[in-house]
Amino acid sequence: MDFASFLTSLGTSFVIFLVLMFLFTWLSRRPGNYVIYYPNRILKGLDPYEGIRLTRNPFSWISESLASTEADVINMSGVDSAVYFVFLTTVLGILVFAGLLVLPVLLPIASTAPGEKADNTTSEGSFNDIDNLSMGHIQLKSPRLWAYAVATYWISFVAYCLLWKAYKHVSDLRAAALMSPDAKPEQFAALVRDIPPVPEGQTRKEQVDSYFKAIYPDTFYRSMVVTDNKKVNKIYEELKGYQKKLERAEAIYAESKQTSSPEGTRPTTKTGFLGLIGNKVDAIEFYDEKVKELILKLEAEQKVTIKEKQQCSALVFFTNRVTASSAAQSLHSTLVDTWKVTDAPEPRQLIWTNLPKKFYVREIRQYVIYFIVFLTIFFYMVPIGFISALTTLDNLKKLLPFLKPVVDQKAIKTVLQAYLPQLALIIFMALLPKLLLFLSKLEGIPEKSHVERAASGKYFYFSVLNVFIGVTIGSTLFNTLKDIQKDTSSIIPLLARSLPKSATFFLTFVALKFFVGYGLELSRIVPLIIYHLKKKYLCKTEAELKEAWAPGDLGYATRAPGDLLILTIVFCYSVIAPLIIPFGVVYFGLGWLVLRNQVLKVYIPSYESYGRMWPHMYKRIMAALILFQATMLGYFIVKKFYYTPILIPLPILSLIFAFVCQKKFYRFFQSTALEVASPELKENPNMEGVFRSFIPLCLSSEKGDEYQFEDALSQVSRTGSTV
Amino acid sequence: MDFASFLTSLGTSFVIFLVLMFLFTWLSRRPGNYVIYYPNRILKGLDPYEGIRLTRNPFSWISESLASTEADVINMSGVDSAVYFVFLTTVLGILVFAGLLVLPVLLPIASTAPGEKADNTTSEGSFNDIDNLSMGHIQLKSPRLWAYAVATYWISFVAYCLLWKAYKHVSDLRAAALMSPDAKPEQFAALVRDIPPVPEGQTRKEQVDSYFKAIYPDTFYRSMVVTDNKKVNKIYEELKGYQKKLERAEAIYAESKQTSSPEGTRPTTKTGFLGLIGNKVDAIEFYDEKVKELILKLEAEQKVTIKEKQQCSALVFFTNRVTASSAAQSLHSTLVDTWKVTDAPEPRQLIWTNLPKKFYVREIRQYVIYFIVFLTIFFYMVPIGFISALTTLDNLKKLLPFLKPVVDQKAIKTVLQAYLPQLALIIFMALLPKLLLFLSKLEGIPEKSHVERAASGKYFYFSVLNVFIGVTIGSTLFNTLKDIQKDTSSIIPLLARSLPKSATFFLTFVALKFFVGYGLELSRIVPLIIYHLKKKYLCKTEAELKEAWAPGDLGYATRAPGDLLILTIVFCYSVIAPLIIPFGVVYFGLGWLVLRNQVLKVYIPSYESYGRMWPHMYKRIMAALILFQATMLGYFIVKKFYYTPILIPLPILSLIFAFVCQKKFYRFFQSTALEVASPELKENPNMEGVFRSFIPLCLSSEKGDEYQFEDALSQVSRTGSTV
């Protein structure tokens, strides 16, 4: 890729971003769009514009983002979002500090170096301005390489310092949130799995209650045995569906009264498949009947479920937080595969179907899934390699000669050359997260946030291996197959040699991601269009309308690995092609601004894991750093630098640093420290409320008769409780 | 080694054993020796012969051993000893079951096989009877090898079954012991380490008490801050020394009254070094003065220690067992390196000097020690290799030609050939355990039993690597250096090829160990002689006499690795040279009998770890099994058996089995399960007694004034306690 097409790519991206930003400014001012641009504030009962109506210029959202504090983020969106900003700030900090030393020193060194003609610096073998600024331009064995070695050390140490601070800060955030005097239901509960078979003459709930009463005579409150809710859930969903249809039919009827005749036209429906075949009947009557019928059916099924479909898992409730969190950390039975007690997830996070999965089933599933993911990672590489090779213009021309007249036109050629490979890659990558989420859920994890973390980890390794290493080596493989045959022995020198050749590819990849990606994110064009279409043609009731603009959450599972991939790329190129650092800074800086806006005004978190995502992100940042250090080591060897061994301590230092950090901080992210659980609460918790908050929707009563599950779902044992 | 010298070795060993056994029968009947042969019973206040005086034949101890039950062992010697017998029984069971199939099938197959002349079957290249029975006698690619493959599978599966049962049994034993309604002090305590610096305006004990009172308002009893006892301990030891000398002087004086003049001669001593130089003074007066002086000094130092030498570690006491054991399993502080709470060891097991060691100091020490042990293991190999080569007679003759006339005499030659290498090996191995114990203690482990386990693990790996692999390969190296040069690539085929050559060496090694080793163990000749010498020439007072016959404990740290080494050897040869199986059976059978006798009558355990040794032994049995399977795989390759791959699943199966076992059972050996801690106690524990039992001897008052430490050593916080 030459300099002109690089600039074109950059320019086009920037123009798109500007257009999207102005679109955002214009659209977000119209009250009809408030539900798209301020849903979080609206749902929290705040005025969308409260206190921020002062400036109405297109950049006002930037100053609003900058003015917001960490406490605001925690208030509006929880600890998880705040931790995500700690991640963005830390990475931004590392890159800014790195750039401060690296850019003013390495760029002049590279540009004034006597270049190596026709060496492995560009993919086309011809020189251009960007490549002149990279480490590839330095001659073999040159003493100028010392500067690059120092830069590698500098970046590593900056990373250590800021990561340490960040880990400590996140740990404090987590502690502060867990210490909060507002009682949260999950802090009083523990999840029990692998309950052994019920002994003769006892019911499941008697078994659970007597077991925990013996161990915690003073603090055990009551238990809730997990039931197989598959059937009752299906009926419940059906009921909800008919209730919606009924509402809708009533709305249509009411509307018809206003628009056509005063008595209105009663809507009709067909009784068969999807309302398309069968007898034509009055819709309101039909749905009303269905709803009544299903309510009876649901109540009957609820009773059956609660009595007969009890599983080998339960939630137990304690009257204080210390006991609950210490129970979750203690071994209860002498055998690990029975009575396994762990932290209870938030009620909204519980994956009920995973709760009764047995210990060995979970273990085996986990390994099987790891194996499947391993296969996926390695077999996805094959099509990705092809795509990365096919989508370079030259290859396209060779393979599809009829395209030649089109792509040879100057303008089209430039644009295509700039975007085609990146677009293909981005589309390809969007297919995967769903699969990984599905696989992670199969592992038997009881918590939604944990599933997302697991999927996110898999996605990161996938993207680093396939996108970064795959593209880098893949393009080299296609370009210079003979080079490879010489040294197949080691991947690090191979990777190191291929890196400079792919530098501009990744520069444009990063630029595309931040300008177009964050532009779309900020302007919310797609949700806006969908909302307006739905509003116009589909939605009849208030509930349907609300559903149409419901904003969703930040989407950790794909966002974090995406950012980490960019970070890996920027780290690895930071010394070889320092020009990538400003791109990284813009990516994370812009990301910070845009997401700050989105978190405060748009997204609603679907769970709260109190920063448990952080250790995962931290681990991957360290992996990226070590990959960077190993790559540099390899590249210095390629450059025949005599003093290369002085870089050997770096990966070792990183491993020690990562080990110490995880050792010191990680356990608190696995389980709640007791000193954090011990502070006094604002008021004695309403234990009945805590208990009720865990009853799944499909089992809670429609009529508000709160006590119908008492005898079956759990046994009240108030004698021992102190509340 | 030829068959004659093998039989001689065996015969001699057996004769020695018989002699020692009759010696035992004769000596143990004399009442003057009761303290040597029945110390455990005497110290427990039982009649040495109670209920077992019926038979007085030399084999009566065998029937007594056989008649004793596991409950007897637990009563007399604790759970740890019972677990050791589970180990012996399990191994014995594996070998008996293995022998039942392997011996009647494999021996005829080998002896009727058309032999391979002059192949790699004996060290001398000539055939003899023993080698005819080994797998080395089977021709390459012979279909008879199928029987050996089946035998390998059989032994593995027998091992799996019995090990699973044993693990479960030990787990039950541990649970039963911990569930016991008799309160043990350590069950109410937890050890706190890494206490952060004392905040301004608080004392250390206020800090500890307020921290735990906040978390456990209802169950926290009080705390004991660990102090630096180095100086006070030195004074205490000195005082004890002078008290002993005083008693001794008084005894001598009393004796002189009876023997010489009625007014007696007062003993004298010199005031200088070791009582050898300086002024001559009256011993009783001098010692009496010293004792008085030191008591004052001790009291002063005790006060100083308790007030000013408090360390960053403490013992905390709870009023119930569940809280104590759940506290030991829970994270208390958000940072892992502060307020680390673990199980409290028994008071007698505490290593006070290790308690205040900081988290990172412990971690670093651990890795440094591992590294030192690693070096030790590999550098001990060099001298051992030399010894194993030098001590074969042929080599000795070559190196020391003047020995030739001596060693060429038939009788001497046979004996030397049989014993020399083994004796050298045994002596060499006896030097190591002390070093390993010392190193393990340096790791900062707070518990004596844990130190012994750590040392024992190191010793096992050492002995397998050096004795077994070292001797096997070492002898091959010296014998056939040219063989090695052909295939240095892999150690497994090399080991496999060398095995049959060393078979007879190990046969005699095992025989020597059991006949002579257990003979000496049973007859207790050495302690007996020492005791009688001391009694006659040294002991003047009752206390000194008691010290002279005090029996000590079983000596886990060296006994278990020794047994495991034998087990490794027997496992590895069980199929290649099945003749070793009966030797193994005799070793473990005789061991069971002799040690049962010793445990019931002689040894007094110096600690109780409730079977925590078992997972360590289990892990090493599995290591031996996997080594056996790998060796067989290698040897089948050497034998060019076409179907060798059918053995590949075995090591994988073993790894899975080991993994599942450890996963299921191990955690209970790390920490107490709460269901085990929860049963009601016989009576409410005397918390003051529990607390006092942890006060180190050097800090406990001489005068019985129990409350002098109250204000400084710990703060009584009775307000919150429920007892």
Side-chain angles (χ1 to χ4, degrees):
Chain A
M1 185 189 293
D2 56 32
F3 196 57
S5 80
F6 171 69
L7 280 187
T8 315
S9 149
L10 215 62
T12 332
S13 298
F14 186 62
V15 168
I16 294 174
F17 178 70
L18 282 184
V19 168
L20 288 170
M21 201 169 77
F22 282 105
L23 218 56
F24 162 73
T25 315
W26 183 62
L27 290 169
S28 67
R29 281 193 209 168
R30 315 187 145 247
N33 296 337
Y34 280 4
V35 287
I36 291 298
Y37 293 104
Y38 304 96
N40 192 9
R41 296 184 65 86
I42 290 171
L43 287 173
K44 283 222 161 55
L46 299 169
D47 172 20
Y49 271 138
E50 184 213 312
I52 45 178
R53 200 186 277 267
L54 308 165
T55 56
R56 286 287 89 231
N57 72 56
F59 301 105
S60 66
W61 64 273
I62 295 179
S63 56
E64 284 158 25
S65 288
L66 287 173
S68 65
T69 63
E70 194 166 56
D72 294 337
V73 174
I74 295 176
N75 271 342
M76 291 301 290
S77 191
V79 179
D80 284 342
S81 302
V83 167
Y84 185 64
F85 285 104
V86 173
F87 162 70
L88 290 178
T89 318
T90 307
V91 170
L92 192 60
I94 295 172
L95 293 181
V96 167
F97 275 109
L100 281 183
L101 184 95
V102 169
L103 288 178
V105 174
L106 294 194
L107 291 187
I109 286 180
S111 62
T112 60
E116 293 200 346
K117 299 286 177 232
D119 194 49
N120 52 4
T121 39
T122 59
S123 40
E124 276 98 66
S126 74
F127 254 55
N128 62 42
D129 303 304
I130 301 175
D131 291 325
N132 262 349
L133 299 173
S134 85
M135 191 174 159
H137 190 236
I138 307 286
Q139 275 182 318
L140 298 182
K141 305 177 191 173
S142 160
R144 288 176 188 234
L145 290 169
W146 273 106
Y148 289 89
V150 171
T152 312
Y153 264 93
W154 168 252
I155 292 174
S156 304
F157 278 99
V158 165
Y160 298 153
C161 288
L162 291 179
L163 281 173
W164 180 270
K165 272 184 65 185
Y167 216 140
K168 204 157 160 34
H169 182 56
V170 171
S171 179
D172 291 343
L173 282 182
R174 177 173 163 84
L178 287 172
M179 258 174 173
S180 140
D182 304 309
K184 278 162 204 111
E186 68 273 14
Q187 292 187 309
F188 294 91
L191 173 63
V192 187
R193 302 171 90 178
D194 311 308
I195 303 175
V198 185
E200 203 65 46
Q202 258 191 327
T203 64
R204 177 68 77 184
K205 70 187 153 60
E206 281 165 0
Q207 180 198 17
V208 174
D209 286 356
S210 66
Y211 188 84
F212 284 97
K213 260 201 100 44
I215 297 176
Y216 305 99
D218 303 322
T219 48
F220 176 67
Y221 176 66
R222 64 194 283 189
S223 67
M224 180 192 289
V225 174
V226 170
T227 50
D228 178 3
N229 299 337
K230 214 166 152 187
K231 203 169 162 198
V232 74
N233 211 18
K234 207 180 141 198
I235 298 174
Y236 178 77
E237 293 298 332
E238 215 178 329
L239 172 65
K240 284 284 141 196
Y242 278 114
Q243 278 174 337
K244 258 190 213 163
K245 281 182 186 163
L246 179 61
E247 255 179 72
R248 190 185 160 86
E250 275 165 355
I252 291 170
Y253 181 48
E255 202 184 66
S256 74
K257 274 186 193 165
Q258 289 172 343
T259 51
S260 54
S261 52
E263 72 279 2
T265 35
R266 291 181 74 84
T268 57
T269 187
K270 287 177 181 170
T271 55
F273 177 72
L274 282 178
L276 295 176
I277 48 172
N279 300 324
K280 206 168 178 180
V281 291
D282 182 282
I284 296 179
E285 271 170 31
F286 176 69
Y287 291 139
D288 200 42
E289 205 149 297
K290 274 278 178 196
V291 165
K292 277 177 195 150
E293 194 181 293
L294 281 168
I295 286 178
L296 290 177
K297 212 169 149 192
L298 179 70
E299 277 168 13
E301 184 57 36
Q302 282 178 341
K303 275 184 197 131
V304 171
T305 304
I306 289 164
K307 283 240 168 68
E308 288 161 24
K309 293 187 176 171
Q310 302 189 355
Q311 305 283 302
C312 63
S313 175
L315 289 152
V316 291
F317 298 89
F318 299 97
T319 52
N320 76 61
R321 300 198 286 185
V322 171
T323 313
S325 58
S326 119
Q329 298 176 52
S330 297
L331 179 72
H332 282 73
S333 155
T334 57
L335 301 178
V336 174
D337 56 357
T338 56
W339 296 105
K340 190 153 180 76
V341 181
T342 51
D343 273 317
E346 285 181 308
R348 57 180 167 171
Q349 281 200 61
L350 267 175
I351 302 173
W352 285 84
T353 48
N354 273 344
L355 297 187
K357 293 218 170 87
K358 287 295 223 169
F359 185 78
Y360 292 109
V361 173
R362 296 192 313 259
E363 292 279 322
I364 292 167
R365 273 168 180 259
Q366 200 184 9
Y367 289 109
V368 170
I369 301 270
Y370 285 173
F371 184 66
I372 293 175
V373 169
F374 176 81
L375 288 184
T376 312
I377 288 180
F378 278 87
F379 281 92
Y380 251 67
M381 215 161 182
V382 178
I384 274 219
F386 269 103
I387 283 182
S388 118
L390 280 182
T391 50
T392 65
L393 263 197
D394 292 342
N395 283 325
L396 263 190
K397 268 191 283 184
K398 263 180 250 164
L399 287 165
L400 308 169
F402 58 87
L403 282 180
K404 210 176 169 184
V406 185
V407 297
D408 272 350
Q409 287 183 27
K410 185 81 183 158
I412 295 177
K413 186 180 174 178
T414 317
V415 172
L416 276 184
Q417 211 164 25
Y419 284 127
L420 206 58
Q422 290 85 345
L423 264 180
L425 194 59
I426 288 169
I427 291 167
F428 204 73
M429 291 299 290
L431 297 171
L432 196 71
K434 292 260 175 244
L435 173 69
L436 292 178
L437 267 174
F438 172 75
L439 285 174
S440 299
K441 198 173 163 185
L442 283 185
E443 282 180 37
I445 296 168
E447 207 177 351
K448 277 196 196 106
S449 64
H450 191 167
V451 169
E452 291 212 0
R453 288 197 297 276
S456 155
K458 297 182 177 89
Y459 194 53
F460 169 72
Y461 290 115
F462 177 87
S463 48
V464 166
L465 219 87
N466 284 313
V467 180
F468 180 52
I469 299 184
V471 167
T472 309
I473 295 183
S475 67
T476 314
L477 278 176
F478 272 80
N479 287 327
T480 50
L481 257 173
K482 55 192 182 301
D483 265 24
I484 311 307
Q485 279 161 344
K486 269 188 277 171
D487 54 1
T488 39
S489 52
S490 162
I491 196 156
I492 292 294
L494 177 61
L495 182 60
R497 201 166 305 194
S498 323
L499 274 173
K501 298 182 193 170
S502 314
T504 40
F505 171 88
F506 283 114
L507 275 180
T508 40
F509 178 73
V510 174
L512 188 70
K513 263 225 147 186
F514 62 67
F515 280 136
V516 181
Y518 283 128
L520 284 172
E521 176 71 58
L522 181 69
S523 64
R524 287 177 68 75
I525 292 289
V526 181
L528 186 77
I529 293 169
I530 292 173
Y531 164 68
H532 279 294
L533 286 177
K534 275 193 180 169
K535 191 180 169 191
K536 186 140 192 182
Y537 300 108
L538 287 172
C539 301
K540 296 292 174 189
T541 64
E542 268 303 304
E544 282 174 331
L545 209 60
K546 202 168 172 183
E547 213 170 70
W549 59 258
D553 67 1
L554 199 61
Y556 257 141
T558 49
R559 196 175 295 277
D563 291 345
L564 285 164
L565 173 64
I566 300 288
L567 179 67
T568 311
I569 292 169
V570 174
F571 264 168
C572 286
Y573 281 104
S574 58
V575 170
I576 293 175
L579 213 60
I580 208 166
I581 293 181
F583 283 79
V585 169
V586 174
Y587 177 84
F588 288 103
L590 204 60
W592 192 93
L593 284 175
V594 170
L595 288 172
R596 196 83 164 194
N597 182 70
Q598 304 302 85
V599 156
L600 290 174
K601 297 175 192 160
V602 181
Y603 293 130
I604 293 170
S606 59
Y607 56 77
E608 174 66 275
S609 72
Y610 302 104
R612 275 197 180 152
M613 189 70 183
W614 172 256
H616 290 250
M617 296 198 281
Y618 166 79
K619 220 190 279 174
R620 267 118 217 153
I621 299 175
M622 287 310 299
L625 193 65
I626 291 170
L627 184 64
F628 155 59
Q629 291 163 343
T631 311
M632 286 315 296
L633 206 58
Y635 197 56
F636 272 105
I637 291 169
V638 171
K639 280 282 172 191
K640 300 194 173 131
F641 184 51
Y642 287 132
Y643 305 98
T644 304
I646 61 150
L647 287 175
I648 291 173
L650 267 185
I652 299 167
L653 258 177
S654 294
L655 286 173
I656 294 176
F657 175 78
F659 179 75
V660 170
C661 251
Q662 288 293 82
K663 194 106 192 174
K664 185 181 176 88
F665 299 110
Y666 185 48
R667 222 192 126 193
F668 177 46
F669 286 84
Q670 289 181 298
S671 38
T672 311
L674 297 188
E675 68 173 17
V676 160
S678 65
E680 283 296 311
L681 289 166
K682 215 156 55 184
E683 53 191 359
N684 270 338
N686 166 16
M687 285 311 295
E688 202 51 33
V690 165
F691 174 76
R692 300 235 148 248
S693 67
F694 275 92
I695 297 177
L697 276 178
C698 59
L699 284 182
S700 68
S701 168
E702 283 288 308
K703 303 181 206 151
D705 170 12
E706 297 248 325
Y707 290 91
Q708 73 174 51
F709 309 105
E710 202 78 317
D711 68 326
L713 196 68
S714 67
Q715 190 197 38
V716 183
S717 54
R718 294 224 171 73
T719 49
S721 81
T722 56
V723 178
Chain B
M1 186 190 292
D2 55 31
F3 196 59
S5 80
F6 172 70
L7 280 187
T8 317
S9 151
L10 217 59
T12 333
S13 298
F14 186 63
V15 168
I16 292 174
F17 178 71
L18 283 184
V19 168
L20 287 170
M21 200 169 78
F22 283 106
L23 218 56
F24 163 73
T25 316
W26 181 64
L27 288 169
S28 67
R29 282 193 207 167
R30 313 184 147 249
N33 296 338
Y34 280 3
V35 286
I36 290 299
Y37 293 104
Y38 305 96
N40 192 8
R41 296 183 66 83
I42 291 172
L43 287 174
K44 282 223 162 50
L46 300 169
D47 172 20
Y49 271 139
E50 184 212 313
I52 44 178
R53 201 186 277 268
L54 309 165
T55 56
R56 286 290 87 230
N57 72 56
F59 300 105
S60 67
W61 65 273
I62 293 179
S63 55
E64 285 159 25
S65 287
L66 286 174
S68 64
T69 63
E70 193 166 55
D72 294 337
V73 173
I74 293 176
N75 271 341
M76 292 301 290
S77 192
V79 180
D80 283 341
S81 303
V83 168
Y84 185 63
F85 284 104
V86 174
F87 161 71
L88 291 177
T89 318
T90 307
V91 170
L92 191 62
I94 295 172
L95 294 181
V96 168
F97 275 108
L100 282 182
L101 185 96
V102 169
L103 288 177
V105 174
L106 294 194
L107 290 186
I109 286 181
S111 63
T112 61
E116 293 202 345
K117 300 283 177 235
D119 194 49
N120 52 4
T121 38
T122 58
S123 40
E124 275 98 65
S126 73
F127 255 55
N128 63 42
D129 303 304
I130 299 176
D131 292 324
N132 263 348
L133 299 172
S134 85
M135 189 172 161
H137 192 235
I138 308 287
Q139 276 182 315
L140 298 183
K141 306 178 194 173
S142 160
R144 288 177 189 234
L145 289 169
W146 272 106
Y148 289 89
V150 171
T152 312
Y153 264 94
W154 168 251
I155 292 174
S156 304
F157 278 99
V158 165
Y160 298 152
C161 289
L162 292 179
L163 281 174
W164 180 270
K165 271 183 65 184
Y167 217 141
K168 202 158 161 34
H169 182 57
V170 171
S171 178
D172 291 343
L173 282 182
R174 176 173 164 84
L178 286 173
M179 258 174 173
S180 141
D182 304 309
K184 278 162 203 114
E186 68 273 13
Q187 291 186 307
F188 293 90
L191 174 62
V192 188
R193 301 171 92 179
D194 311 307
I195 303 175
V198 184
E200 204 64 43
Q202 261 192 325
T203 65
R204 175 69 77 184
K205 69 187 155 55
E206 281 165 1
Q207 182 199 16
V208 174
D209 286 356
S210 66
Y211 187 84
F212 284 96
K213 259 200 102 46
I215 297 176
Y216 305 99
D218 303 323
T219 47
F220 175 67
Y221 176 66
R222 65 194 281 192
S223 67
M224 180 192 289
V225 175
V226 169
T227 49
D228 179 5
N229 299 338
K230 214 168 154 186
K231 203 169 163 198
V232 72
N233 211 19
K234 208 181 141 198
I235 298 173
Y236 178 77
E237 294 298 333
E238 215 179 329
L239 173 65
K240 284 285 141 194
Y242 278 114
Q243 278 173 336
K244 259 190 210 162
K245 282 182 186 163
L246 179 62
E247 256 179 70
R248 189 186 162 87
E250 275 165 354
I252 292 171
Y253 181 49
E255 203 185 66
S256 74
K257 275 185 192 162
Q258 291 170 343
T259 51
S260 53
S261 53
E263 71 279 2
T265 36
R266 293 180 72 85
T268 56
T269 187
K270 288 178 179 167
T271 54
F273 177 73
L274 282 178
L276 295 175
I277 49 169
N279 299 326
K280 208 169 178 179
V281 291
D282 182 281
I284 296 179
E285 271 171 29
F286 176 68
Y287 291 139
D288 200 41
E289 204 148 298
K290 273 279 179 197
V291 166
K292 276 177 196 153
E293 195 182 293
L294 280 168
I295 285 178
L296 289 178
K297 210 170 149 192
L298 180 71
E299 276 168 13
E301 184 58 35
Q302 281 179 343
K303 273 182 199 135
V304 170
T305 303
I306 290 166
K307 282 241 168 68
E308 287 161 26
K309 293 187 176 172
Q310 302 189 356
Q311 304 282 304
C312 62
S313 175
L315 289 152
V316 290
F317 298 89
F318 299 97
T319 52
N320 78 59
R321 299 198 286 186
V322 171
T323 312
S325 59
S326 119
Q329 298 176 52
S330 297
L331 179 71
H332 281 73
S333 155
T334 56
L335 301 177
V336 174
D337 56 357
T338 54
W339 295 106
K340 191 154 181 75
V341 181
T342 51
D343 273 317
E346 287 180 308
R348 57 181 167 171
Q349 281 201 62
L350 266 175
I351 302 173
W352 284 84
T353 48
N354 273 344
L355 297 187
K357 292 217 171 88
K358 286 294 221 172
F359 185 77
Y360 291 109
V361 173
R362 300 196 305 263
E363 291 280 321
I364 293 167
R365 273 168 181 261
Q366 200 184 8
Y367 289 108
V368 169
I369 300 269
Y370 284 172
F371 183 68
I372 293 175
V373 169
F374 175 82
L375 287 185
T376 312
I377 289 180
F378 279 86
F379 280 91
Y380 250 67
M381 213 160 183
V382 178
I384 274 220
F386 270 102
I387 284 183
S388 120
L390 281 181
T391 50
T392 65
L393 262 198
D394 293 340
N395 284 324
L396 261 191
K397 267 191 285 184
K398 263 181 252 162
L399 286 165
L400 309 168
F402 57 88
L403 284 178
K404 211 176 169 184
V406 186
V407 297
D408 272 351
Q409 286 182 28
K410 185 82 184 158
I412 294 177
K413 186 180 173 176
T414 318
V415 172
L416 275 184
Q417 211 165 27
Y419 283 127
L420 206 56
Q422 290 84 345
L423 264 180
L425 196 58
I426 287 168
I427 292 168
F428 204 72
M429 291 299 290
L431 298 171
L432 196 71
K434 291 259 176 245
L435 173 69
L436 292 177
L437 267 175
F438 171 73
L439 285 176
S440 300
K441 200 173 161 185
L442 283 185
E443 283 180 36
I445 297 168
E447 208 176 353
K448 276 197 196 105
S449 62
H450 192 167
V451 168
E452 290 213 0
R453 289 199 296 277
S456 155
K458 297 181 176 90
Y459 194 54
F460 169 73
Y461 289 115
F462 177 88
S463 48
V464 166
L465 218 88
N466 284 313
V467 180
F468 180 52
I469 300 184
V471 166
T472 310
I473 295 184
S475 67
T476 315
L477 278 175
F478 272 79
N479 287 328
T480 51
L481 256 173
K482 53 193 183 303
D483 267 23
I484 310 308
Q485 279 159 344
K486 269 187 279 169
D487 54 1
T488 40
S489 52
S490 161
I491 196 157
I492 293 291
L494 177 61
L495 182 61
R497 199 167 305 195
S498 324
L499 274 172
K501 299 183 192 169
S502 315
T504 40
F505 171 88
F506 283 113
L507 275 180
T508 41
F509 178 73
V510 174
L512 188 71
K513 262 226 146 183
F514 64 67
F515 280 137
V516 180
Y518 284 127
L520 284 172
E521 176 71 58
L522 182 67
S523 64
R524 286 179 66 76
I525 292 289
V526 181
L528 186 77
I529 293 169
I530 291 173
Y531 164 69
H532 279 295
L533 286 177
K534 275 194 181 169
K535 191 181 169 190
K536 188 139 190 182
Y537 300 107
L538 284 173
C539 301
K540 298 290 174 190
T541 64
E542 268 303 305
E544 281 174 333
L545 208 60
K546 201 168 171 184
E547 212 170 73
W549 58 258
D553 67 1
L554 200 61
Y556 255 141
T558 50
R559 195 175 296 277
D563 292 345
L564 285 164
L565 173 63
I566 301 287
L567 178 68
T568 310
I569 292 169
V570 175
F571 263 167
C572 286
Y573 281 104
S574 58
V575 170
I576 293 175
L579 214 60
I580 206 165
I581 292 180
F583 283 79
V585 169
V586 175
Y587 177 84
F588 288 103
L590 205 61
W592 192 94
L593 285 175
V594 170
L595 288 173
R596 196 83 165 193
N597 182 70
Q598 305 300 86
V599 157
L600 291 173
K601 297 173 191 161
V602 181
Y603 293 128
I604 293 169
S606 60
Y607 56 78
E608 173 67 274
S609 72
Y610 302 105
R612 277 199 179 151
M613 189 69 182
W614 171 256
H616 289 250
M617 296 198 282
Y618 166 80
K619 218 189 281 175
R620 267 120 216 151
I621 299 175
M622 287 310 299
L625 193 66
I626 291 170
L627 183 64
F628 155 59
Q629 292 163 343
T631 312
M632 288 313 297
L633 206 57
Y635 197 57
F636 273 105
I637 291 169
V638 171
K639 280 282 173 191
K640 297 193 177 136
F641 184 51
Y642 287 131
Y643 305 98
T644 304
I646 61 149
L647 287 175
I648 291 173
L650 266 186
I652 298 166
L653 258 177
S654 294
L655 284 174
I656 293 174
F657 174 78
F659 179 76
V660 169
C661 252
Q662 289 291 82
K663 193 105 192 176
K664 186 181 176 87
F665 298 110
Y666 184 48
R667 225 196 122 189
F668 177 47
F669 287 83
Q670 289 180 297
S671 38
T672 312
L674 298 188
E675 69 173 18
V676 160
S678 65
E680 284 295 310
L681 289 166
K682 217 157 53 184
E683 54 190 0
N684 269 338
N686 167 15
M687 286 310 297
E688 201 51 33
V690 165
F691 173 77
R692 301 233 148 252
S693 67
F694 276 92
I695 297 176
L697 277 179
C698 59
L699 283 183
S700 68
S701 169
E702 284 287 307
K703 303 178 204 153
D705 169 11
E706 295 248 327
Y707 290 93
Q708 74 175 53
F709 309 106
E710 202 77 318
D711 68 326
L713 197 67
S714 68
Q715 188 198 37
V716 185
S717 54
R718 293 224 171 74
T719 49
S721 82
T722 57
V723 178

